[in-house]
Amino acid sequence: MPEPYEQMLADTYDAQYAVLRDPSGDREFYATLAAETGGPVLEIGCGTGRVLLPIARAGHTAVGVDPSAAMLEVFRAKGLPENLTLVCGRAQDLALEQRDFGLATMPFRAFMHLERTEDQLETLRRIRSHLRPDGWLALDVFDPDLARMAALEESGEQPSFPWHQRTVVRRYAVTRDHAHQLQSVRFDYTDAQTGESLGTETVTMRWTYRYELEHLLVRAGFEPFRWSSGYDERPYIGKGDIVVVAQRA
Ligand SMILES: C[S@@+](CC[C@H](N)C(=O)[O-])C[C@H]1O[C@@H](n2cnc3c(N)ncnc32)[C@H](O)[C@@H]1O
């Protein structure tokens, strides 16, 4: 089975999302939750450590899980503090010895890579079994923009970014399957100066609506207690991201 995030996505991830994602404030949001709960912190879909590494560096015992060896390799190359452990594996197979996490997280839409309801529920139930009784789960997904999601196909270009002495442009082409709430996103990377193709990768995501997410969480034994559309104190307004914090019911 191909990895969900392969070499090109992994190699360009930090440069790309420093521009596209860091300004959202999501890293600070998850770091604040780590401080509120006191950890230990379990991040599912930790990728290159964009969110988890600062949390570990702040002193929290942390475990990161991700099925992409390429993403974990980029993470490891940053130098891991002793209080941080990485595990290569899928969310729906989660089975760690440690079961006393104060906070579990799935930042930046990792939950959307669970393509079937069974995988979503299995993941949530497994996460719950790794939390201590007062533990929290926090995750985010994008809030489906109904006008945009109505289109079966969509394409565009993202801001260029520096990578290995090149300027890289990433184009995306989305195809949607409304029956299964799935979208496939093909990314094409090109050298902006020479036009040389640097690679193509595809990821698949299932979109989820706010009340669908609430039902999933409750079925898996969680009680959601904070809903927001972003990473500051804004309430849930139905556009942007769906950000939820839940506790063990
Ligand atoms: C958009 S990245 C987010 C990475 C990191 N959480 C961040 O905020 O930068 C999504 C991550 O989910 C991971 N992923 C994909 N399928 C997964 C699965 N079944 N279980 C756990 N993680 C998965 C990918 O490998 C990728 O690293």
Side-chain angles (χ1 to χ4, degrees):
M1 205 163 72
E3 278 178 27
Y5 279 56
E6 297 177 83
Q7 206 61 51
M8 197 62 199
L9 259 166
D11 283 353
T12 59
Y13 188 89
D14 287 333
Q16 179 107 55
Y17 292 106
V19 179
L20 290 181
R21 188 61 176 181
D22 290 355
S24 70
D26 67 338
R27 298 194 307 165
E28 294 77 7
F29 170 80
Y30 286 106
T32 301
L33 290 178
E36 267 185 76
T37 59
V41 178
L42 170 63
E43 183 178 330
I44 311 293
C46 62
T48 63
R50 191 183 65 85
V51 175
L52 192 59
L53 188 54
I55 288 175
R57 284 189 176 144
H60 297 289
T61 304
V63 177
V65 177
D66 201 289
S68 166
M71 294 289 271
L72 291 180
E73 196 184 305
V74 174
F75 194 161
R76 279 199 193 92
K78 295 175 182 174
L80 304 187
E82 273 180 13
N83 55 331
L84 171 60
T85 309
L86 298 185
V87 177
C88 192
R90 300 186 319 160
Q92 49 278 57
D93 303 324
L94 184 73
L96 305 175
E97 241 171 66
Q98 188 174 350
R99 302 274 168 149
D100 66 345
F101 292 97
L103 176 68
T105 65
M106 293 189 84
F108 198 15
R109 306 172 182 172
F111 187 77
M112 300 187 75
H113 292 305
L114 304 169
E115 296 172 29
R116 304 176 314 153
T117 307
E118 304 89 90
D119 294 324
Q120 295 173 324
L121 282 173
E122 186 64 27
T123 293
L124 293 174
R125 289 183 176 132
R126 283 179 184 246
I127 288 175
R128 187 180 185 282
S129 74
H130 285 71
L131 290 175
R132 57 173 197 243
D134 64 345
W136 290 359
L137 165 64
L139 63 86
D140 63 80
V141 295
F142 71 63
D143 209 339
D145 170 344
L146 295 184
R148 190 170 170 185
M149 304 306 283
L152 290 176
E153 293 185 354
E154 181 187 338
S155 56
E157 189 174 299
Q158 290 170 324
S160 60
F161 59 93
W163 179 68
H164 292 297
Q165 282 84 50
R166 296 177 187 257
T167 302
V168 175
V169 171
R170 187 169 83 170
R171 293 189 181 80
Y172 61 89
V174 184
T175 53
R176 297 197 174 94
D177 169 354
H178 285 163
H180 299 98
Q181 290 177 208
L182 288 174
Q183 63 175 32
S184 269
V185 188
R186 200 192 73 220
F187 293 115
D188 292 309
Y189 298 85
T190 310
D191 185 307
Q193 267 93 41
T194 64
E196 180 191 348
S197 168
L198 302 172
T200 294
E201 285 181 27
T202 302
V203 296
T204 304
M205 309 169 88
R206 173 178 257 196
W207 67 85
T208 306
Y209 298 91
R210 183 243 182 264
Y211 288 98
E212 179 187 5
L213 186 55
E214 180 167 334
H215 281 293
L216 287 168
L217 286 163
V218 171
R219 279 179 78 187
F222 284 100
E223 193 182 320
F225 65 95
R226 279 189 213 163
W227 292 93
S228 173
S229 288
Y231 303 93
D232 43 23
E233 296 291 307
R234 84 185 73 169
Y236 180 74
I237 56 166
K239 63 178 176 194
D241 279 350
I242 305 175
V243 187
V244 60
V245 186
Q247 59 197 357
R248 281 181 56 151

